[in-house]
Amino acid sequence: MSEEQTMESAVATQSSPTDTVAETTTEQPQTNLLNEGATIASAEKDWLNDISEEFRSTPSISNAKNINDIAKQVVNLEKVLGKPKVSLPQENWQESDWNEFYNKTGRPETIDGYDLSYNSEHIKFEDSDKNKLAESFYKAGLSQQQASAVFTSIAEREANLSQSVEEKFISNETNAREVLQKEWGDDFETNLKLSNAALNKLLPNDVAEQVQERYGNDPNLIQLLANAGKSLMDDTEFKGTLQSSSWTSPVAAKSELDQLRSDPVFTSQLTNKTDPGHKFALEKWTELHRVAAS
């Protein structure tokens, strides 16, 4: 073999490894991010192969992304199962079923378990009224929270109504006073005393009290009674009673004092020296105490 042939053979031998590498490199698959995402998704689903086909198609399993999702579902389920179970009401429930439901949903063991309180200067619930409401709440199966909400609603309505009545009473009393003071002038207090005496003279005590309570601020009635009192001045007994006092007995005077103590209008007149009715209220208060002590 010539030297030239030997050189060509050597070159051919050296080039063959390079060709092999090139061929191997072109056969490897090219990678990109989309392929990588598919690979990740495939890997995440591999854990499903370890689950029986019987459960694999269940939504809670098939929708899970990984085994941790299944673990979270199990933990949450344990929390739910650990809570008290309350059955939903059914049409065929008996009284015992309803009682069990009410007890589980927060009803007190007895009616005494309800706390029914409401603070207001306009109304006050008697214990008997609260007991009746508590009985109704208990029968209806209300919890303490529900009972408090209902009771507060009732109390607010009563308070608003009471306040409205009180304001109307004060307004009527003020209007009647203005009308009569304008009509009678300096004879205002004298005629008031005359009308009161006539009322007690003409009507039995129980009827007179009812009239005074319902129509005590009616200026027309007060004027009518004052005129009736003037026509009775020839009656010696009536005149003597009028001159001494409009309250004929210590018992009646004490009763009148008790009523006036709880009367906000009279209290305001008695304590407020600038009130137009202060002088009359003070005289009435002083005279009642004198008669009550006799």
Side-chain angles (χ1 to χ4, degrees):
M1 179 181 295
S2 66
E3 184 178 350
E4 184 178 350
Q5 291 175 330
T6 303
M7 290 290 291
E8 290 178 354
S9 176
V11 171
T13 303
Q14 291 175 359
S15 63
S16 59
T18 304
D19 295 339
T20 303
V21 172
E23 291 176 359
T24 303
T25 302
T26 56
E27 290 177 356
Q28 291 179 348
Q30 296 182 355
T31 61
N32 55 51
L33 290 179
L34 289 178
N35 288 336
E36 184 179 343
T39 301
I40 295 173
S42 176
E44 288 181 344
K45 288 296 183 179
D46 285 345
W47 62 271
L48 285 173
N49 296 329
D50 296 330
I51 297 178
S52 172
E53 292 184 3
E54 179 183 358
F55 307 112
R56 196 179 302 169
S57 61
T58 304
S60 59
I61 302 298
S62 62
N63 292 335
K65 295 181 180 180
N66 51 53
I67 195 64
N68 286 331
D69 285 352
I70 302 297
K72 291 179 181 178
Q73 293 182 36
V74 172
V75 172
N76 291 334
L77 182 60
E78 288 178 345
K79 291 180 179 179
V80 173
L81 293 176
K83 295 181 179 179
K85 302 176 183 61
V86 180
S87 300
L88 294 177
Q90 304 295 322
E91 292 183 358
N92 60 345
W93 269 15
Q94 303 298 319
E95 183 177 355
S96 58
D97 299 316
W98 281 108
N99 285 330
E100 181 180 358
F101 174 78
Y102 293 149
N103 294 337
K104 287 184 177 179
T105 53
R107 183 179 70 173
E109 295 183 0
T110 65
I111 63 173
D112 296 331
Y114 287 113
D115 179 16
L116 304 180
S117 56
Y118 183 82
N119 296 323
S120 172
E121 61 181 5
H122 299 289
I123 61 168
K124 179 181 178 181
F125 283 90
E126 300 294 337
D127 290 339
S128 58
D129 295 329
K130 288 185 177 182
N131 288 337
K132 290 180 180 179
L133 287 172
E135 289 177 359
S136 299
F137 295 160
Y138 186 85
K139 186 176 181 180
L142 301 189
S143 65
Q144 171 60 51
Q145 183 179 9
Q146 293 169 326
S148 295
V150 175
F151 180 72
T152 299
S153 178
I154 294 174
E156 288 178 349
R157 180 181 181 278
E158 292 296 323
N160 292 335
L161 180 61
S162 177
Q163 184 177 4
S164 176
V165 171
E166 181 178 335
E167 290 174 351
K168 184 177 180 180
F169 176 84
I170 294 175
S171 175
N172 290 342
E173 192 272 344
T174 301
N175 292 337
R177 181 179 298 278
E178 291 177 353
V179 169
L180 293 175
Q181 283 179 333
K182 182 177 181 180
E183 178 73 20
W184 289 336
D186 294 339
D187 294 331
F188 173 75
E189 295 176 3
T190 300
N191 286 338
L192 274 186
K193 188 175 181 180
L194 189 63
S195 64
N196 182 271
L199 176 67
N200 290 293
K201 173 68 176 178
L202 298 172
L203 299 175
N205 290 340
D206 56 340
V207 178
E209 290 178 0
Q210 293 179 16
V211 171
Q212 186 174 11
E213 180 179 351
R214 295 184 181 183
Y215 308 106
N217 287 323
D218 186 340
N220 294 325
L221 175 63
I222 296 173
Q223 284 181 315
L224 179 64
L225 288 171
N227 292 332
K230 292 176 183 178
S231 66
L232 292 171
M233 291 300 292
D234 292 337
D235 186 322
T236 303
E237 181 181 354
F238 175 78
K239 187 175 182 178
T241 300
L242 180 64
Q243 291 175 345
S244 61
S245 174
S246 296
W247 303 277
T248 58
S249 70
V251 175
K254 290 178 181 179
S255 176
E256 183 73 8
L257 283 171
D258 290 338
Q259 294 180 15
L260 292 177
R261 288 189 181 96
S262 60
D263 186 343
V265 176
F266 182 84
T267 302
S268 176
Q269 294 170 347
L270 182 64
T271 58
N272 185 3
K273 294 181 179 181
T274 62
D275 192 294
H278 173 70
K279 182 179 178 181
F280 173 74
L282 182 61
E283 291 179 354
K284 183 176 183 179
W285 186 254
T286 302
E287 181 64 12
L288 278 172
H289 275 282
R290 184 189 69 78
V291 176
S294 62

